[in-house]
Amino acid sequence: MDFRILRFDKLDSTNSEAIRQAKLGAGEGLCVVADEQTAGRGRHGRRWSSPRAGGLYLSVVLRPKIDIRHLPLITLLTGVAVHDALIELGVKPDIKWVNDVLVDERKICGILAETTETPAGLAVIVGIGVNLLSIDLPDDIAPTATSVEEVSGIKLEASQLLEIITLHLSTFYDILNEPDGPGKIVDNWRLRSTYFSGKKVRVTLSDGSFEGSTCGLEENGALRVVTPGGEIRIVQAGDVERVRVPDADQLMSPPLDPS
Ligand code: BTN
């Protein structure tokens, strides 16, 4: 894939601008980058804090030719690409289903893939936000977030990370387009995520939540979770949080005396 970079000083949201550009006819590979976002957004309408120079804010226009049921794999392959970019910086990341890249269980990157109808057909906009500096993290997310600076000691320019991420994105997007691409993306994700199997999680859906243990991905990237009763539930969309298992010491200690 060939990338064309469109840089902005300030935008509402790079995803919104990429959608506008796609509707105007932008082709595959257009990358919208901004130094600052005033209305950066995440999944479920959450806000994505986007201070100037505090992070990389990037959205790529894709016009995939794959079967529509495999579109969710675009989020997964983007996580794999960001994971491998961070490895190049000497960091050991993990990928949490479906759109978070973590380091030591703290979020360093979020991914938001959106589809939009355009005169040239369906476009997928994949938005990537990577925290570069911890000092800019708002108080409410600071305890569960981290940054490239914090985990690597490197004060990286957004443009440097952009170059590394787009290289990896191109590799894995090309793989997705191969005849057996969807299976290969799932395999690549499996090799990089501790959430693939055996992770105790709580899944929050629009109509409630349940707990279980992860047991692989479907071929479209949906998460399989086995409940304590042995039922396998397929999660297409929802929030997944790790459930902390108390360590042996805590299990052995006597209950607190309430008196
Ligand atoms: C999430 O974790 O919920 C996804 C966050 C995605 C944030 C990025 S920043 C660049 C792009 N523009 C946006 O408005 N959102 C994405």
Side-chain angles (χ1 to χ4, degrees):
M1 181 172 32
D2 290 330
F3 290 103
R4 188 165 70 85
I5 315 275
L6 204 51
R7 289 177 199 280
F8 291 84
D9 179 62
K10 192 196 271 195
L11 276 176
D12 50 353
S13 149
T14 55
N15 265 36
S16 300
E17 180 61 25
I19 289 173
R20 292 189 284 267
Q21 294 286 340
K23 287 188 184 297
L24 290 171
E28 182 154 274
L30 179 80
C31 288
V32 177
V33 187
D35 291 344
E36 180 184 351
Q37 297 184 117
T38 52
R41 60 175 186 271
R43 286 174 82 221
H44 309 306
R46 291 180 196 125
R47 139 192 104 93
W48 184 261
S49 161
S50 314
R52 178 167 297 271
L56 169 65
Y57 318 117
L58 153 74
S59 301
V60 185
V61 175
L62 300 173
R63 296 195 178 270
K65 306 279 178 293
I66 55 172
D67 192 319
I68 198 158
R69 76 199 150 94
H70 289 134
L71 288 181
L73 292 172
I74 290 177
T75 299
L76 270 69
L77 77 84
T78 305
V80 169
V82 173
H83 173 284
D84 285 14
L86 292 172
I87 290 271
E88 282 195 33
L89 303 175
V91 172
K92 287 199 178 68
D94 191 8
I95 314 175
K96 179 162 81 75
W97 194 92
V98 56
N99 67 329
D100 292 347
V101 182
L102 313 177
V103 180
D104 295 332
E105 299 292 343
R106 292 162 82 192
K107 183 159 167 170
I108 195 165
C109 165
I111 294 160
L112 177 66
E114 299 178 299
T115 55
T116 185
E117 279 300 339
T118 77
L122 184 84
V124 175
I125 308 302
V126 61
I128 303 171
V130 184
N131 301 325
L132 291 177
L133 303 177
S134 286
I135 194 156
D136 287 316
L137 296 173
D139 289 349
D140 53 331
I141 60 167
T144 56
T146 190
S147 69
V148 170
E149 182 193 21
E150 194 172 331
V151 298
S152 72
I154 305 172
K155 279 198 168 163
L156 203 65
E157 296 279 326
S159 58
Q160 295 171 285
L161 189 57
L162 169 70
E163 203 168 309
I164 312 176
I165 288 180
T166 48
L167 268 174
H168 289 287
L169 195 58
S170 175
T171 302
F172 289 105
Y173 187 63
D174 288 349
I175 291 175
L176 177 65
N177 285 302
E178 292 174 7
D180 51 352
K184 287 183 183 168
I185 295 301
V186 169
D187 280 349
N188 274 285
W189 197 88
R190 171 176 60 83
L191 293 172
R192 290 163 176 82
S193 173
T194 65
Y195 282 75
F196 183 81
S197 75
K199 183 78 101 185
K200 300 249 178 305
V201 291
R202 177 174 301 105
V203 180
T204 305
L205 307 168
S206 52
D207 57 352
S209 68
F210 70 95
E211 287 189 9
S213 197
T214 60
C215 58
L217 297 184
E218 296 284 289
E219 58 128 32
N220 72 346
L223 184 68
R224 293 158 56 92
V225 179
V226 57
T227 66
E231 182 197 358
I232 293 187
R233 298 190 59 169
I234 310 294
V235 184
Q236 307 280 355
D239 270 343
V240 168
E241 292 306 326
R242 178 175 72 119
V243 174
R244 283 177 191 276
V245 182
D247 61 30
D249 288 352
Q250 283 171 301
L251 287 172
M252 299 297 287
S253 50
L256 290 175
D257 184 351
S259 59

